[in-house]
Amino acid sequence: MLRSMWSGVSGMQAHQIALDIESNNIANVNTVGFKYSRASFVDMLSQIKLIATSPYKNGLGGQNDFSIGLGVGIDATTKVFSQGNTQNTDVKTDLAIEGEGFFVISPDRGTTRNFTRNGEFLFDADGNLVTTGGYLVQGWVKNDLENASKMSDSDFFKVDNTGPLQNIRIDPGMVMPARASSKISMRANLNAGRHVDQTGDIFALDSSSKTASDGVNPVYDSKSRLTQMAEDVGSLFNGDGDAFLLNENQGIWVSYKTAEMKNEIFASDQTNTIGLNDTEISFTNDSGISGVSSLVAAQNAINAVKDKTGIEAYLDGGLLRLENRNELDGDEKVKNIRVTSSGTGAFANFVEGDADITSFRYRYTKSLSPDSSTGQFRTTEDLRALIQYDANMIKDPYMNYSDTTASVSVTVNKYGMFEILNKDNGDDEKQNLNIFVSAYASENVTNNVLFKDTMKALNTASLIEGGVSTSTSKMTHATHTSSIDIVDSLGTKHTLRLEFYKSGGAEWSFRAIVPEPSELYGSSPTRPNIFEGGRLRFNSDGSLAGMNPPVLQFDPKNGSNAPQRIDLSFGTNGGFGGLTSVDKISETYAISQDGYQAGDLLDVRFDSNGSLLGAFSNGRTLALAQVALANFANNTGLQSEGGNVFSQTGNSGQAMIGAANTGRRGGVSGSKLEMSNVDLSRSLTQLIVVQRGFQANSKAVTTSDQILNTLLNLKQ
């Protein structure tokens, strides 16, 4: 038999196998995750007639071997694991590998492991993540969902992938338990400017001595339930939002009555002198020559310096009556009536030390311990108490005054106004007052116009005993408010309201309010749902300098865990990442808390690390599981099992299993599938080449057949 015929037959057989392989490639052009194969042709063992010889040193040169090939064979079908194109899908459980790696799947719940590039996954009736062929997808599952309330935000997106592989199963009825709020974070600015647009009425004050004056511990009116708390007047604003910005010793005079003094004037033709309000007054008058009486001359002399003393003289029968309506701005030289040096001549009845004091000076001080004996005040309660005391002393100098028996009450009403009421004290005498406010100013102290104008609204010609009250214009404080819902351990929401108000030059106070019957620890027994006295201090550049308290303790009063500790994360000292106070509108940029209600699982999707993320009805997203990837030392050594499934062999090496994007494992993309890597143009071209090869080998068989036929014909 001719060797050429067998060579042709082997060539036809090899090309038939190559044709089968290319046909299979073309058939799987749309198979997800399919990797095309190629036939590896090798020549058959040759028949050696003569072996090759080396050159002789003193003779013939070397000769090649004399061998005849016996045909061709295929010793392997090699899979080409090049990356296939990825295609977007509308299925959230679809997954595509971009790079090296295989999904790990199992037909027997993890006992046997197989591998695939096909990421067409879905959930079965039991919540198992499976392939379309029913293989269970392997990976790692977050088994501590019940401890989600103790997880940090970063742990929500982590799955422990250091443990053994598991079947990925997600309970379709999964419920995320509630997590109680433990921290409130806030970024905001509190306006430090001279003018603010966000203001609120200052805290009310009653006329009793029980009102707190420290600005921290509030008192609540049992009837109106209004907060009564003293505030630093220097940090307040008028009704238009313009800051008073009181400096040391700036203030006002409040006159409660017109000062009066009446005396007889003697006729004298000598020099007549008197000192009134530190101003020396003198005149000489010979009534016989001038025709002007000493009484009229004295009146004229006093009225000539009214702008220096504030005192005006009147003739009252045969007496000289002095009045000071206390309407001039200035210092003590223009207030009240004080005889500062004894009179001579016509003024002989006026003795040094005589005085009628009806106007009182009130000066602001930044001192924490103002001196009431000198009319110094710092807080609204200091000023209220001073005005009330002096008004009562003017009305009845002989009254044994105390706050509780005051017939003139001074309050700060719910509209943020100082209000004076002249109550009827029950006797037959009607003791009316007339109120006039003017500015205190001196060589060293300037007039604070805003504060004076606000207080001047008290002015009334007659504050009638038993009549209506008189009040100042509104006083306000700069405010800012933010609210956020916090959650208790049962998942119940409670709205926490944070109210900030300016309480000093670079200081703000805040209160926290929760709906009743909830309580905040450290609050007043009469208003347990309101925590007062929070303090914020800012540096000269507007950064936060400190705060107190850093924690609120909350009792929802509904059977949930209590007390619930809530950290107030308002920024770091010296930083600008939380609360700031610069000359800019008060505004909350961001406010958040870390609690959430219980939630049902609504939807799932994969991220780029192969983590299966669950979206819950409470708005939270949690990594429920993570798909494992495997790679091999030799991918082409894997055994194809059909159905896009591979198994490990001795030549593939052991599976190296880990998470996506680690080691040599690639990433994954959700809602995508990897298409077949078959190049149809290449495969069709290769099909033609294989076909021609088959035809050529068939020619070798027919040619050999003709030669055999010729040999047979030789016998004839």
Side-chain angles (χ1 to χ4, degrees):
M1 183 67 69
L2 295 175
R3 285 186 295 265
S4 60
M5 179 172 286
W6 291 113
S7 294
V9 170
S10 68
M12 292 174 64
Q13 290 175 334
H15 281 81
Q16 178 61 55
I17 293 172
L19 182 62
D20 294 341
I21 292 171
E22 286 302 333
S23 297
N24 183 63
N25 290 340
I26 294 171
N28 285 282
V29 70
N30 288 317
T31 300
V32 175
F34 180 80
K35 302 301 178 184
Y36 77 88
S37 300
R38 66 185 182 191
S40 297
F41 288 84
V42 292
D43 61 341
M44 302 291 284
L45 180 66
S46 298
Q47 184 178 23
I48 300 173
K49 294 294 187 177
L50 293 173
I51 63 173
T53 60
S54 59
Y56 291 92
K57 292 182 179 181
N58 298 314
L60 295 172
Q63 290 182 298
N64 294 327
D65 70 322
F66 172 23
S67 59
I68 302 171
L70 299 179
V72 67
I74 293 179
D75 65 350
T77 56
T78 303
K79 286 196 173 293
V80 179
F81 285 92
S82 62
Q83 178 71 45
N85 295 327
T86 58
Q87 178 177 324
N88 291 323
T89 70
D90 293 328
V91 182
K92 295 180 180 178
T93 53
D94 284 348
L95 205 56
I97 300 175
E98 296 180 349
E100 290 195 34
F102 297 83
F103 298 114
V104 183
I105 57 178
S106 175
D108 50 13
R109 298 189 175 274
T111 303
T112 304
R113 292 176 183 170
N114 292 107
F115 311 94
T116 185
R117 294 278 297 193
N118 183 357
E120 286 185 284
F121 300 146
L122 48 88
F123 287 101
D124 66 12
D126 292 333
N128 296 303
L129 186 65
V130 298
T131 68
T132 53
Y135 286 67
L136 274 69
V137 181
Q138 304 292 290
W140 303 275
V141 179
K142 188 187 288 289
N143 295 316
D144 55 349
L145 182 61
E146 65 277 5
N147 295 321
S149 61
K150 301 178 182 178
M151 295 179 187
S152 65
D153 288 342
S154 60
D155 290 337
F156 263 65
F157 297 94
K158 293 180 181 178
V159 177
D160 183 8
N161 53 27
T162 61
L165 292 184
Q166 307 172 54
N167 303 318
I168 295 181
R169 180 182 179 278
I170 305 300
D171 182 1
M174 180 180 294
V175 175
M176 179 187 292
R179 179 165 82 178
S181 303
S182 62
K183 182 173 72 171
I184 294 175
S185 299
M186 186 175 182
R187 289 185 60 244
N189 181 65
L190 303 175
N191 197 339
R194 298 174 64 95
H195 175 82
V196 296
D197 295 319
Q198 297 164 276
T199 60
D201 298 334
I202 62 174
F203 292 114
L205 296 170
D206 63 23
S207 60
S208 76
S209 60
K210 295 184 296 182
T211 303
S213 61
D214 59 3
V216 177
N217 301 306
V219 172
Y220 292 91
D221 187 280
S222 59
K223 295 180 180 179
S224 64
R225 308 273 285 180
L226 291 174
T227 308
Q228 299 188 75
M229 188 156 57
E231 300 182 68
D232 189 328
V233 182
S235 69
L236 300 183
F237 297 73
N238 65 13
D240 294 327
D242 296 314
F244 291 148
L245 297 177
L246 286 167
N247 294 322
E248 193 74 18
N249 285 325
Q250 283 188 328
I252 56 172
W253 291 89
V254 178
S255 175
Y256 302 96
K257 279 186 177 180
T258 298
E260 290 187 358
M261 187 176 293
K262 187 185 297 185
N263 263 323
E264 181 181 359
I265 295 294
F266 299 107
S268 173
D269 57 2
Q270 301 176 357
T271 300
N272 309 281
T273 63
I274 188 174
L276 293 177
N277 290 355
D278 294 324
T279 298
E280 294 298 321
I281 303 170
S282 66
F283 73 93
T284 301
N285 178 58
D286 186 342
S287 59
I289 298 175
S290 66
V292 177
S293 70
S294 295
L295 189 63
V296 173
Q299 179 191 26
N300 293 337
I302 292 172
N303 289 343
V305 292
K306 178 185 175 182
D307 59 338
K308 294 182 179 180
T309 64
I311 299 171
E312 188 167 6
Y314 297 89
L315 301 181
D316 191 354
L319 302 177
L320 181 68
R321 176 166 52 88
L322 305 182
E323 286 188 1
N324 192 341
R325 299 180 183 276
N326 298 313
E327 295 178 348
L328 297 180
D329 293 340
D331 57 16
E332 59 275 1
K333 294 180 181 180
V334 295
K335 294 298 176 183
N336 301 305
I337 300 175
R338 295 175 295 112
V339 179
T340 51
S341 62
S342 297
T344 63
F347 295 114
N349 280 340
F350 292 89
V351 179
E352 182 178 354
D354 289 347
D356 188 22
I357 307 299
T358 60
S359 183
F360 295 85
R361 176 180 60 187
Y362 305 116
R363 297 179 296 159
Y364 175 75
T365 178
K366 293 181 171 63
S367 171
L368 294 179
S369 301
D371 186 356
S372 60
S373 65
T374 61
Q376 287 186 301
F377 69 91
R378 184 179 65 86
T379 69
T380 51
E381 170 59 14
D382 296 335
L383 182 58
R384 185 210 66 79
L386 285 169
I387 294 175
Q388 179 167 282
Y389 181 88
D390 292 334
N392 278 280
M393 290 298 98
I394 291 298
K395 180 177 179 181
D396 187 356
Y398 305 105
M399 183 185 74
N400 183 16
Y401 170 75
S402 69
D403 283 344
T404 56
T405 60
S407 65
V408 179
S409 67
V410 180
T411 61
V412 176
N413 62 28
K414 63 181 180 180
Y415 305 108
M417 304 172 177
F418 278 76
E419 183 175 352
I420 304 178
L421 177 62
N422 189 3
K423 296 182 288 186
D424 190 340
N425 55 11
D427 58 19
D428 294 332
E429 183 182 0
K430 292 299 182 182
Q431 296 169 302
N432 299 333
L433 301 174
N434 58 284
I435 309 297
F436 193 90
V437 175
S438 55
Y440 169 66
S442 68
E443 293 180 359
N444 300 318
V445 180
T446 58
N447 178 7
N448 190 301
V449 177
L450 289 177
F451 182 58
K452 180 194 74 172
D453 288 348
T454 299
M455 297 297 293
K456 275 181 71 69
L458 285 171
N459 291 357
T460 178
S462 183
L463 185 63
I464 299 173
E465 182 178 297
V468 297
S469 62
T470 183
S471 60
T472 65
S473 298
K474 276 190 176 184
M475 290 188 187
T476 62
H477 46 213
T479 63
H480 181 62
T481 302
S482 290
S483 296
I484 191 170
D485 288 335
I486 57 175
V487 181
D488 62 30
S489 61
L490 295 177
T492 304
K493 283 186 176 181
H494 308 266
T495 300
L496 175 69
R497 179 180 174 89
L498 293 168
E499 295 181 352
F500 301 88
Y501 58 93
K502 192 169 186 178
S503 56
E507 294 183 0
W508 285 67
S509 297
F510 68 89
R511 51 160 48 175
I513 306 172
V514 293
E516 294 180 299
S518 301
E519 294 183 2
L520 290 168
Y521 285 56
S523 56
S524 166
T526 57
R527 295 296 296 273
N529 65 315
I530 301 178
F531 173 82
E532 302 272 7
R535 286 287 187 268
L536 298 166
R537 292 183 299 104
F538 295 93
N539 296 312
S540 58
D541 60 357
S543 61
L544 185 65
M547 67 170 291
N548 187 60
V551 175
L552 292 177
Q553 294 194 78
F554 171 56
D555 186 353
K557 292 295 183 182
N558 63 352
S560 60
N561 291 337
Q564 182 175 333
R565 178 189 171 99
I566 301 175
D567 294 329
L568 301 179
S569 181
F570 289 169
T572 58
N573 292 353
F576 289 86
L579 293 184
T580 59
S581 183
V582 297
D583 189 357
K584 184 177 179 293
I585 186 172
S586 293
E587 184 177 10
T588 297
Y589 308 121
I591 184 169
S592 62
Q593 54 87 33
D594 59 352
Y596 50 80
Q597 295 178 291
D600 299 320
L601 181 62
L602 298 179
D603 201 2
V604 294
R605 65 178 179 85
F606 283 103
D607 68 7
S608 60
N609 293 319
S611 295
L612 184 64
L613 305 180
F616 291 80
S617 59
N618 58 5
R620 305 293 294 187
T621 300
L622 179 67
L624 304 175
Q626 187 173 18
V627 171
L629 293 186
N631 60 344
F632 298 87
N634 176 25
N635 291 340
T636 59
L638 293 171
Q639 178 66 50
S640 179
E641 302 289 346
N644 275 353
V645 176
F646 298 94
S647 59
Q648 179 180 301
T649 68
N651 195 39
S652 66
Q654 292 290 326
M656 293 174 284
I657 297 174
N661 296 311
T662 63
R664 292 191 296 110
R665 292 170 286 274
V668 294
S669 297
S671 298
K672 292 182 180 181
L673 289 175
E674 182 188 13
M675 297 295 100
S676 170
N677 69 345
V678 173
D679 184 343
L680 194 57
S681 59
R682 185 207 65 81
S683 293
L684 291 175
T685 301
Q686 188 65 20
L687 200 63
I688 295 172
V689 172
V690 171
Q691 179 187 8
R692 292 306 183 191
F694 185 92
Q695 290 175 338
N697 278 279
S698 67
K699 289 297 183 180
V701 172
T702 56
T703 300
S704 297
D705 178 60
Q706 290 174 356
I707 292 173
L708 284 174
N709 190 44
T710 300
L711 291 173
L712 291 173
N713 289 334
L714 288 175
K715 185 179 179 181
Q716 298 177 354

